[in-house]
Every structure is written in C-alpha cells, then in structure tokens.
Amino acid sequence: MQFIDLKTQYRLIQDDVKARIDRVLEHGQYIMGPEVEELEAALATFVGARHCIGLSSGTDALLAALMALEIGRGDEVITTPFTFIATGEMIALLGIRPVFVDIDPVTYNLDPNRIEAAITGRTRAIMPVSLYGQCADMDAIQAIATAHRLPVIEDAAQSFGASYNGRHSCNLSTIGCTSFFPAKPLGAYGDAGACFTNDADLAKRIKEIRNHGQDRRYHHPRLGLNGRLDTLQAAILLSKLQLFPDEVEARSRLGARYSELLQERGAHSSASTEESPVLTPFITPHRTSVFAQYTIQLEQRELVSEALARDGIPTAVHYPIPLNEQPVFQSSIGQCPTPVSDRIAQRVLSLPMHPYLTDADQIRIADAVARATGLRL
C-alpha cells in the first residue's frame, strides 16, 4: 500500500501530460512560457481571485508575499508553531521575528482567541496555516487583522481546493500562498507554487519579485529572487487541473469515510468530550477539507505506527516538533505558551490518503488501527 498514490492518477492523464510536455519542448520557452500565463488564469478562475502569480515553490510564494508587503528586519509576524518549517523559515529568513501563537485543540489551526494578546507595536502581519487541508478560522482572524490594520497571509500549502463559508482557500485574505509539491492535493512533478490576491499593486510587486525584482528587462525597482514557475511544471498542472474537481470531491468523501469507519470501531471526533484512544479529524460546519493528510490523534504513536507497518500500512507524522521547539527558533521561545501544540505534536499520526483509495483499503486500515489501539473491530 502506498501512502500517496501518484501512479494511478498519472495513468488517467498520461497521454495529455505527454502531449503538453511535447508542446513545451517544441516551442522551447522553458522559462515563463505561455503555459504559465494560461495556468495562472485557470487557477485564478478556480479560486475566484483576481490575480494568480505562479512561483517556483510554495516556500518562495510565502517569501514573495512577505517581500511584497515590505515586511522586514525588526518586524514581527504572528503565526502557528504547528506547521512545516517553511512557514516560520521564510519569516525568519527576512530578519522578521516569528511570534508563535498556540492552536485550536479541535482543528489544529491558529487559535483566533489567542492572537490579540500577541500583537505588539512591531506586528506587521498574521500568517495562519490551513493545516491538513482545512482552512483556519479566516473570518475571525481577518476581523482581528482589520481592527489592527494588519494584512493576512494564508499559508494554504495544504488546503488548495478547500472551501470556507462558500469561498475558496487562497481567496480569503490579503494574499493566499499555496504549494504544488507533488504530494499536495494539486501537485506538479517537481516544485511549484502560487500567490493569489485581489490587490493589483501587490500582484505587480509579486510578479517583479519572482523575476529578480525587475519590472522590465534589466530594470530592477526592487530586490527579488529567482522564483519563476517552470513552464514544464505549468503544463503538467494544466493537465492535472482537469481531474482536480473530482479529486477534491473524492478526498472529502474518503475523509468522511475514514472517520465513519474509525468511529464505528469506537473512535471519537477531536471535537468530542468523550474518552477514546483514537480521535478523528473534525471539519467545522460550512468548511470543507481536501485532506492533504488524514490525521488522527492517539497515545503510544510509535507502537501503533510500528504495528501498522507490520500490516503493510505506511504512516507519517505531521509534525512531531513544534517550530518554537526547533533549535533554529530558540530566540522565539518564551513569547507565548503553546501547550496545545506541544501535546498534539506528540499524538498525531497520518494515515494513507489520496483520491484513489478503495473502500477495501480504508476498511483494512481502520481494522489495523483498531487492533493496534484497542478499539473494537
């Protein structure tokens, strides 16, 4: 069993992928070829944003967003400690101080109730992460940001395709940033990413930043980076985008099915107050998740993971060490207590998740989890 199955998807689109790659090879515009602009238009339409700017990775998308907002050395950005390193890394790389605020124990996303206490005179932005495929509470976060005149950057690396109160992830804030890393819900065959915004001036800045800060050839009004999206990756994403709406529906259905199977065996939702050896994800009403990961909570994670491995079922941990516990961020420790992040980081375990899981696969996995954790079969 594979943790993420990319081969089945490829077999469905291989002729189209090969044809699109051949077109790029024929026209030879490997950097900023026509497929990049075509993809940007398609992604902007999908999300409902006015502007999409393709970038070389989700990490560079975060960096370009911060640079476009002219946030830099000595400033502070509020974010979550329970995420991949790139979120805090891009903040710190610009000399900005990441301020880690604890998460909601039910959704694992940045807790809006804790943000205001962390705002100081140096705060320049809030960067929530839409973790595991479900959007953070963006309306509550945006209300705080508006009251303090702060921009919001959604790190939507895991939530492209998810919805929040009828709107799409990446179109919920000042700038939305996503990743098209191969394992993401919409993945390229290499690194790729994008920024989304409804602000024409910010879009112009990000376009300049991704191409060494130039607004025209050899004219550089700002510092930038080599953050361009490769034409080949754009071509591949255009092909995969045809399948994406159906895959989003499949992910939602499969996530719900996982929870149903586990709860039939005695697990409870993370929103439940009842005792259970296994907690399943809780999807907040009026939101959808693309389940970039299907992640449960449990005790004795290592023993359970080993037991599943013996049954031929791969697992992963996203993420075992909160960012404020990472050696590189030691200077940020002591700002805000993060007991929820600390606890959940010790308990989360991700199960195989992709749009092509079969019901038999999910039953097999749920049964294996039940055996390993003492749930009833």
Side-chain angles (χ1 to χ4, degrees), residues 20-352:
R20 289 178 184 273
I21 289 174
D22 282 346
R23 281 198 288 274
V24 175
L25 296 176
E26 284 295 328
H27 67 57
Q29 297 178 58
Y30 303 119
I31 303 297
M32 300 304 295
E35 286 80 2
V36 173
E37 188 172 341
E38 182 184 353
L39 177 67
E40 290 172 336
L43 293 175
T45 298
F46 180 87
V47 165
R50 291 194 185 112
H51 307 281
C52 170
I53 306 95
L55 286 118
S56 52
S57 69
T59 302
D60 281 342
L62 293 174
L63 184 63
L66 290 162
M67 293 172 70
L69 290 166
E70 299 181 341
I71 306 172
R73 190 165 301 279
D75 295 330
E76 295 178 354
V77 169
I78 291 171
T79 193
T80 168
F82 192 55
T83 181
F84 182 59
I85 185 72
T87 309
E89 182 182 34
M90 292 303 98
I91 295 170
L93 193 66
L94 292 173
I96 306 164
R97 184 172 182 248
V99 177
F100 297 113
V101 170
D102 211 0
I103 60 174
D104 179 275
V106 173
T107 67
Y108 316 143
N109 284 319
L110 185 64
D111 187 345
N113 297 313
R114 300 174 185 264
I115 291 174
E116 203 141 21
I119 294 174
T120 72
R122 293 180 178 272
T123 306
R124 293 291 310 280
I126 304 171
M127 186 184 285
V129 175
S130 294
L131 196 74
Y132 296 156
Q134 177 177 203
C135 294
D137 191 352
M138 297 299 290
D139 284 350
I141 292 168
Q142 189 63 57
I144 296 166
T146 299
H148 292 270
R149 299 182 180 180
L150 297 171
V152 176
I153 303 168
E154 183 194 12
D155 181 341
Q158 298 177 21
S159 61
F160 188 79
S163 65
Y164 175 94
N165 292 337
R167 295 172 291 153
H168 273 104
S169 179
C170 290
N171 190 28
L172 304 171
S173 60
T174 313
I175 303 175
C177 302
T178 198
S179 168
F180 302 122
F181 181 78
K184 301 299 183 185
L186 178 62
Y189 291 156
D191 278 313
C195 287
F196 297 82
T197 184
N198 291 311
D199 185 310
D201 182 57
L202 283 176
K204 179 177 182 292
R205 292 185 197 182
I206 294 169
K207 286 181 180 179
E208 292 170 359
I209 288 165
R210 75 173 172 185
N211 193 20
H212 298 285
Q214 67 178 12
D215 58 357
R216 58 185 185 273
R217 192 168 175 82
Y218 298 129
H219 187 264
H220 306 265
R222 64 184 75 250
L223 289 176
L225 54 119
N226 182 0
R228 298 171 302 230
L229 172 63
D230 285 344
T231 307
L232 282 168
Q233 298 302 337
I236 289 160
L237 286 166
L238 281 165
S239 185
K240 296 181 91 175
L241 192 58
Q242 299 173 83
L243 296 177
F244 190 59
D246 289 340
E247 291 186 343
V248 168
E249 289 184 15
R251 284 177 173 277
S252 181
R253 174 177 49 79
L254 290 164
R257 179 60 172 156
Y258 254 142
S259 294
E260 177 187 16
L261 289 167
L262 289 167
Q263 288 165 17
E264 284 174 355
R265 290 153 177 76
H268 290 291
S269 163
S270 60
S272 174
T273 57
E274 298 183 56
E275 291 291 328
S276 173
V278 176
L279 296 178
T280 60
F282 176 75
I283 306 304
T284 305
H286 309 297
R287 300 183 209 177
T288 64
S289 176
V290 287
F291 288 100
Q293 290 85 28
Y294 183 88
T295 303
I296 58 177
Q297 273 196 67
L298 69 175
E299 300 289 349
Q300 297 184 314
R301 178 175 64 200
E302 287 74 19
L303 293 177
V304 173
S305 179
E306 290 168 5
L308 294 179
R310 288 193 293 272
D311 283 335
I313 297 169
T315 58
V317 177
H318 307 95
Y319 298 92
I321 305 174
L323 295 191
N324 55 324
E325 299 293 335
Q326 296 286 354
V328 71
F329 292 124
Q330 290 302 295
S331 62
S332 296
I333 289 178
Q335 303 171 74
C336 306
T338 58
V340 180
S341 297
D342 296 344
R343 172 171 167 74
I344 289 177
Q346 300 302 313
R347 291 172 49 85
V348 289
L349 185 70
S350 297
L351 304 177

Side-chain angles (χ1 to χ4, degrees), residues 343-377:
R343 172 171 167 74
I344 289 177
Q346 300 302 313
R347 291 172 49 85
V348 289
L349 185 70
S350 297
L351 304 177
M353 185 63 190
H354 56 81
Y356 304 100
L357 274 174
T358 66
D359 196 53
D361 289 334
Q362 290 194 288
I363 291 170
R364 175 186 164 196
I365 293 164
D367 285 345
V369 171
R371 285 192 299 271
T373 58
L375 294 174
R376 63 178 180 273
L377 289 173

Side-chain angles (χ1 to χ4, degrees), residues 10 13-22 189 236 239:
Y10 175 64
I13 56 173
Q14 61 182 336
D15 290 343
D16 188 64
V17 168
K18 289 176 180 178
R20 289 178 184 273
I21 289 174
D22 282 346
Y189 291 156
I236 289 160
S239 185

